[in-house]
Amino acid sequence: MVESDAQLNCSSCGDDVNGFVACRECKFPLCMSCLDAEIADQKRFCFQCGHEYYGHGADAETKRGHEEEERGEVTMEIVPVDEPQEDNNGHARNLSRVSITESETYSETVNPIWKDRVESWKGKRNKKKIEEKKIKKQIKVPMEQSMEENEFPESVLQPFSRVVPISRNKLSPYRTVIIIRLVILGFFFHYRITNPVDSAYGLWLTSIICEIWFAISWVLDQFPKWNPINREAFIDVLSARYENDGEDYGLAPVDFFVSTVDPLKEPPLITANTVLSILSVDYPVEKVSCYVSDDGASMLSFESLAETAEFARKWVPFCKKYLIEPRAPEFYFSQKIDYLKDKIQPSFVKERRAMKRDYEEYKVRINAMVAKAQKTPDEGWTMQDGTSWPGNNPRDHPGMIQVFLGNSGSRDIEGNILPRLVYVSREKRPGYQHHKKAGAMNALVRVSAVLTNSPYILNLDCDHYVNNSKAVREAMCFLMDPQVGGDVCYIQFPQRFDGIDYSDRYANRNIVFFDINMKGLDGIQGPMYVGTGCVFHRQALYGYSPPSLPTINKSSSTCSWLCCCGRSSKASSKEDEAEIRRQSKQEDLNAAIYNLREIENYDDYDRSLLMSQMSLEKTFGLSAVFIESTLVESGGILESADPSILIKEAIHVISCGYEEKTDWGKEIGWIYGSVTEDILTGFKMHCRGWRSLYCMPLRPAFKGSAPINLSDRLHQVLRWALGSVEIFLSRHCPLWYGWNGGRLKLLQRLAYINTIVYPFTSLPLVAYCSLPAICLLTGKFIIPTLSNIASIWFLSLFMSIIATSVLELRWSGVGIEDLWRNEQFWVIGGVSAHLFAVFQGFLKMLAGLDTNFTVTSKATDTDDEFSDLYIVKWTTLLIPPTTLLIVNLVGVVAGFSDALNSGYEAWGPLFGKVFFAMWVILHLYPFLKGLMGRQNRTPTIVILWSVLLASVFSLLWVKVDPFFNGNQTPISTQVCSSIDC
């Protein structure tokens, strides 16, 4: 019994019923408008008791209301609230819910008729949604009209984000110089080709081929940056729309993915800091779930995550109470700033000291685990309960899932719930292909779909922590904006790094790529996926096409015939037909949203849809629960689902044989076939018609650790380049894949082509860097004597190159030092890692020789901030650049020596050759400095060997004189011939 002055809410819409109840027998609370809608829909019986509603119309309803008021009280049965309704914008809103004690009362008094009615209502409602979506595809409702229907305040109706175009004063000169440079290149090559050097024809032809390739590479890199843009997100508007007084009214849930393999190379403390920064992110806790993939099945990772979950009970409330940034404790406590800034609470200093002490104790426990794990016992690891650790054999173990934290599980020290934290280690067995990181990410997609099924996924590497606690809200400003987010497959954040030396010797920050190239792509179809710091739309990962698809261009078959290496038009037309069939099939599959286990409860029409749904098993695998989750666009799982059943299903979807004979890794999820699965995955999404966005908040969203020593950096670049070569040699090569649908824009395709062909630039680059030394040693040159017109073209080309770079820096805000470092490492990586990647890629694809890459170590020496910078691990990657460097240095010495012996006339040609050689030496200077050791501390042995080699070379030069031309007559002979001796 509830007193009459208590506020009753309608069980359908949540509005106040003002004392009115729909059913006279059970007093079921239903407002007048909802009752009218029920009666208009031929629903004349009560949801709760099954009795017929009393009377129709407003008079009868008013009469019943007065009767209830005269009694002085209203009886109310507890009715469970079904799935949240959706408003006009497709976002869920909260309805009034009952407490735990009330739900227990309901379980005893519920009427079976209600269940049947609800099941019938849900089925019809789902059909109605499908019809409405089809209508919306044909008739687009203006945003203003949709907002007016919701009757929100004017401040809430503002857009969540906006595009900030580059000023015309900066962009117009930039585009003009690009066109001018293109014209100059045409005249330059006309001169170079029509003026061969007969005395050095081989060198001249080699230089022409190299220069043409460099020009093509420049076009592929430059024109995708034709229309760069910036974006701005309005977090306050998002909060005003979906939050009120700290209560959530529709923010979308997000599943975080963190992947790790080897805890000895990826220290558990770094992974723990990433997890802690996720758990304390500024977002509703019930909307955050963190999944940690341990692909090495290490007990050390498991135990460290258990300790992290316990420490999170203290760390999360501390972060949210004092709004600290960043929320990774290791990086927060190591900041060299005034931590009292903007912190006015008197208790902050005391609590911060206590928290720092707790964190130091937590680090001691983690480090003790790491020290213990250095030597594996002969009998394997044993858990605390005495049982053997299932992952003692990392290549042969069952799937493991452990939920450490959850909405109904552990709470923090202040009694608040914590985000969900789940440990996942997929099953591995001999004889199965596990596809490394891509396979682990796909396993997390399936596990999260079964347990939480959030509509959005944010993936991070284990060493990339959340540096900006509002980063998720920044992404939601784009994904939840009705004007923007409909066709967006992912939001990519730039990568930022800690622990890099001030001069960034090896271009670890990649500023040019993240602040110039990615902005340019954002103005076309969107930035590329770069492996971490990316928020995905789950439906895009499932291989679904965006809501608004461009029509298939009938003439695309002709285009594909011209552009796809001579494939026949007949094959292209077959691909068109296959694409159309796939789209039509997908529409039918999207309509089948019924439960596979209740097929006998539906009529013939529904059964036919279910039959089409069963074909989803060939795509997604044999899991009814997972298949159902893929068909729910807004995400979420049934509240009545048994957690134990869900855990069993989650174990099933991470089994090693689950992906067999499915489309996992081929059309859905992270795509297999390359070590750079990120580029391939984003490319497939763009080919389906999706677009991506680039989000650059003022405070970097995420920060990570970069391998800053030369050897690790080159191995990292080698892995990226090999992945590009693999894509080039696969069926997914942008040169011929995806032409039929007409959904990938031309400039976007050029960007992807540049991404997969850039390693091949190493071949002409090595040849071009060798030419200066050869010219100096042979006395020949690749350019004939310059005329006045030729000098103008050469000078114009150099000036246009400089102008393009300056204007690019002007609109992007990148510093000239970052640009120069990028150019230097382009040469260093090109003549080493890229060169090896080309040969290894062909060996892998043609001979089947696979290359196993080791995980880059993330550990650092705390005694010296940049101690890792000076480590040189000798590998074969160091041989080509070292050889080029020595050869060009020898060539410069030889050139000056020859000029001193030849006289005044030899100095003119010498300057052109020396300038060419110095260009190579300056670009390889960071490599030389890396070989020499610490900054300003060149090892003595290097100096001794340098002096010794220079002395030997000088003595040999005087004795041998290798540039003596036998055809020339010695000066003494010429003099004697002119004088009668």
Side-chain angles (χ1 to χ4, degrees), residues 1 14 76-77 147 349 523 542 575 810 823 900 902 931:
M1 302 289 289
M76 182 182 71
E77 296 287 349
M147 286 298 186
V349 176
Y542 289 155
E575 292 185 1
R810 185 167 173 253
E823 289 293 325
L900 290 173
S902 300
L931 295 179

Side-chain angles (χ1 to χ4, degrees), residues 363-428:
K363 286 177 61 177
V364 170
R365 295 193 296 270
I366 296 295
N367 292 331
M369 293 180 185
V370 175
K372 181 181 177 182
Q374 297 295 326
K375 184 178 181 181
T376 304
D378 296 335
E379 65 279 4
W381 297 106
T382 304
M383 294 187 290
Q384 294 181 356
D385 58 359
T387 60
S388 178
W389 171 247
N392 277 323
N393 187 348
R395 298 180 181 178
D396 187 6
H397 64 86
M400 295 177 284
I401 295 178
Q402 175 65 44
V403 181
F404 287 107
L405 300 174
N407 294 341
S408 59
S410 302
R411 295 176 177 265
D412 61 27
I413 57 177
E414 297 182 358
N416 302 317
I417 62 174
L418 290 168
R420 189 187 302 265
L421 176 60
V422 185
Y423 169 88
V424 179
S425 181
R426 58 181 173 141
E427 181 186 16
K428 287 189 176 181

Side-chain angles (χ1 to χ4, degrees), residues 558-609:
T558 304
C559 181
S560 64
W561 183 85
L562 294 173
C563 303
C564 302
C565 301
R567 292 188 300 173
S568 64
S569 59
K570 182 178 180 180
S572 300
S573 62
K574 288 183 178 179
E575 292 185 1
D576 288 343
E577 294 175 0
E579 182 70 15
I580 295 173
R581 285 197 301 271
R582 192 181 74 84
Q583 293 182 19
S584 60
K585 177 183 175 183
Q586 204 155 47
E587 291 179 359
D588 293 338
L589 298 182
N590 289 340
I593 58 175
Y594 301 104
N595 194 325
L596 284 173
R597 294 165 298 184
E598 298 180 357
I599 187 171
E600 67 278 1
N601 297 332
Y602 299 101
D603 54 22
D604 293 338
Y605 173 74
D606 295 339
R607 192 176 292 109
S608 65
L609 292 179

Side-chain angles (χ1 to χ4, degrees), residues 961-974:
D961 193 6
F963 290 98
F964 174 75
N965 192 339
N967 296 328
Q968 293 179 355
T969 304
I971 298 177
S972 59
T973 304
Q974 295 178 7

Side-chain angles (χ1 to χ4, degrees), residues 870-891:
Y870 315 114
I871 299 175
V872 177
K873 305 172 186 176
W874 288 99
T875 66
T876 53
L877 296 177
L878 303 178
I879 297 176
T882 304
T883 303
L884 287 174
L885 194 59
I886 294 175
V887 168
N888 277 277
L889 288 172
V890 170

